[in-house]
Amino acid sequence: MGRQHWKKIWVGSAGNMVEWFDWFVYASFATYFAGAFFPSGNPTAQLMNTAGIFAVGFFMRPVGGWLLGRIGDRKGRKAALTLTVTLMSASAVLIAVAPTYGVAGYGGALVLLVARLLQGLSVGGEYAASATYLTEASDPRRRGFASSFQYVSMTAGQIVGLGLLIVLQRTMSDDALHSYGWRIPFVVGALGAAVVFYLRRNMLETEVYEEDTSHAGERGTLRALWQHRREAFLVVALTMGGTVAYYTYTTYLTKYLSNSAGLSKETATLVSFTALIVFACLQPLAGALSDRIGRRPLLITFAVGSTFLTVPIMTLLRHADGYWSALGLALLALVVVTGYTSINACVKAELFPTGVRALGVALPYAIANALFGGTAEYVALWFKKGGIESGFYWYVAACAAVSLVVYVTMRETKDLDLGRVKAARGAGDGSAESTVTTAS
């Protein structure tokens, strides 16, 4: 891979890291600020309230996917990526200064809600713009490897967030963290976003986008996406199992270990931090493997593993009695999830032509995340509050089973030439299929 390709990947990934740092620190620090915005009472109920606002952010992601996906296809990947980080910076500032329940009643929760809505808009477009940019900017023979940095950067954002949490836990008292310390990561996120804004203003557009000859009036429109509705539905279905598993073993894991397994917050945080470092390192290795053997084998391996191993892993995690046992189980789970996370960005981007690629990835992916990823934590807590926590384990396994059917029946996308993927009218139904051309 040439120096120019690496520069594009670096800039795209750095911004993605900051975006997801801001997105995930909400979940990571929720145990400290849950009581700040809602009346005192049942800790699980307070977590459900903050998890509900977390889920609301996901329901804005389809709107962000449509808006920023359209901008990405019509104005360029650079324009969309610059706008997403601007929105994320604004949301981080709002959370950092939000008043508590004791000061403004539910007014603070309202500020928190507005901030999460802005974050939902931002991340709804960020994933697709970043996935599209990384896929288009890479060597055609190494798209799996290059696009794996999508989840390297996403996970790096969470690692930095957890690392900051560990530092604060060891340098501040528990009372101070609950009082004001939880605001610190959102200040850091806002500053990081400002730096990335500068970097993205000077980033290079992808050659695939610049060479696109599709009609300008059709780019990024819902009408153009409708011609690829089969691929759009495919994105929703293949995302379903992966996003539930990913959020279960990343954002929810820390709370699960402390709230259900009974580990201390410090130990639970350290388990997540260590597991995520290993997880991030696995992504490029799995992405490179997909460039050799194809995308489908990795996706199928993930789905089979998640379908049959989720229930035993989650059951054993609930009875984990220390750092090492919890870490071993978390790593096993994340190795399985790597089959999805390492390549899902390029698989989705490879399904659509250039003129509708950003929107084609953004909107259906955001819908799937709103329905399954964003609600995963809330569903888990709902099962727990109802006294049937194990029901959530079966829910995760069932979602993976649905995606398994999709992975087994979908076509391989490894050898598609991104510049020559185009719409081909189906006989009588107006559906679209992508033309498969072997990449040189």
Side-chain angles (χ1 to χ4, degrees):
M1 218 179 259
R3 184 177 178 181
Q4 203 70 276
H5 282 119
W6 277 113
K7 181 179 180 180
K8 291 178 180 179
I9 290 172
W10 156 245
V11 175
S13 298
N16 200 40
M17 183 184 73
V18 173
E19 289 267 356
W20 290 95
F21 168 86
D22 286 337
W23 181 259
F24 281 124
V25 290
Y26 179 97
S28 298
F29 281 80
T31 54
Y32 290 101
F33 68 73
F37 296 103
F38 300 99
S40 60
N42 188 325
T44 300
Q46 291 179 335
L47 283 174
M48 285 188 70
N49 286 327
T50 54
I53 293 179
F54 183 78
V56 167
F58 276 85
F59 285 100
M60 284 302 290
R61 287 175 68 163
V63 179
W66 166 74
L67 176 63
L68 294 163
R70 178 181 173 86
I71 291 173
D73 285 327
R74 297 181 74 86
K75 303 296 183 182
R77 317 314 187 199
K78 174 182 174 180
L81 286 169
T82 302
L83 182 55
T84 60
V85 77
T86 303
L87 292 172
M88 187 60 77
S89 179
S91 65
V93 170
L94 281 177
I95 297 177
V97 301
T100 64
Y101 180 81
V103 173
Y106 284 106
L110 180 61
V111 173
L112 193 66
L113 176 62
V114 171
R116 287 301 294 177
L117 294 177
L118 285 177
Q119 285 190 336
L121 280 173
S122 175
V123 176
E126 169 66 26
Y127 174 88
S130 178
T132 300
Y133 187 86
L134 288 172
T135 302
E136 290 181 348
S138 63
D139 184 322
R141 295 163 297 183
R142 304 192 69 186
R143 286 201 300 260
F145 172 77
S147 66
S148 71
F149 285 89
Q150 172 90 352
Y151 270 81
V152 171
S153 55
M154 284 174 61
T155 306
Q158 190 171 5
I159 289 171
V160 173
L162 285 173
L164 180 57
L165 176 56
I166 291 171
V167 170
L168 293 178
Q169 286 174 337
R170 282 158 173 71
T171 58
M172 299 179 69
S173 67
D174 195 62
D175 288 341
L177 272 172
H178 281 86
S179 176
Y180 65 89
W182 59 265
R183 298 182 187 272
I184 295 174
F186 298 103
V187 174
V188 172
L191 294 175
V195 173
V196 171
F197 176 81
Y198 172 78
L199 292 174
R200 285 187 166 176
R201 286 195 64 185
N202 296 282
M203 72 192 301
L204 301 173
E205 189 58 82
T206 68
E207 293 179 5
V208 172
Y209 180 81
E210 291 181 332
E211 294 172 359
D212 180 42
T213 58
S214 60
H215 191 275
E218 291 293 315
R219 289 182 183 176
T221 64
L222 292 176
R223 182 171 62 180
L225 180 59
W226 182 249
Q227 299 303 320
H228 296 269
R229 56 189 178 275
R230 184 182 306 174
E231 286 79 4
F233 285 121
L234 182 61
V235 169
V236 173
L238 69 86
T239 300
M240 178 181 176
T243 191
V244 171
Y246 177 74
Y247 281 100
T248 296
Y249 296 120
T250 55
T251 59
Y252 181 58
L253 181 64
T254 304
K255 283 187 282 296
Y256 180 70
L257 291 176
S258 61
N259 205 29
S260 295
L263 299 182
S264 67
K265 291 178 182 177
E266 292 77 11
T267 300
T269 302
L270 189 59
V271 168
S272 293
F273 180 76
T274 309
L276 287 173
I277 290 176
V278 177
F279 178 66
C281 294
L282 290 175
Q283 304 309 299
L285 299 177
L289 179 62
S290 78
D291 288 326
R292 290 181 173 272
I293 68 173
R295 321 298 190 212
R296 290 178 67 249
L298 272 71
L299 291 171
I300 292 172
T301 299
F302 150 72
V304 170
S306 191
T307 298
F308 295 104
L309 294 179
T310 294
V311 174
I313 287 175
M314 293 295 287
T315 301
L316 291 171
L317 272 172
R318 187 180 181 186
H319 296 93
D321 57 2
Y323 170 79
W324 290 107
S325 58
L327 177 61
L329 291 165
L331 286 176
L332 175 60
L334 288 173
V335 167
V336 172
V337 174
T338 294
Y340 166 80
T341 55
S342 60
I343 58 171
N344 81 93
C346 67
V347 169
K348 294 163 189 171
E350 288 167 345
L351 292 173
F352 298 95
T354 304
V356 75
R357 184 168 292 130
L359 180 62
V361 175
L363 186 55
Y365 172 79
I367 290 173
N369 264 273
L371 294 175
F372 304 105
T375 58
E377 182 177 326
Y378 192 86
V379 171
L381 292 170
W382 180 83
F383 274 112
K384 178 178 174 59
K385 191 175 183 181
I388 48 173
E389 189 166 29
S390 62
F392 176 67
Y393 315 160
W394 290 100
Y395 168 75
V396 177
C399 289
V402 172
S403 288
L404 174 59
V405 175
V406 177
Y407 302 152
V408 170
T409 57
M410 69 182 288
R411 71 177 184 275
E412 180 58 63
T413 61
K414 178 175 74 75
D415 292 325
L416 287 174
D417 183 339
L418 295 182
R420 299 182 65 182
V421 179
K422 60 183 180 180
R425 291 282 184 176
D429 65 356
S431 64
E433 293 184 356
S434 296
T435 301
V436 180
T437 306
T438 301
S440 57

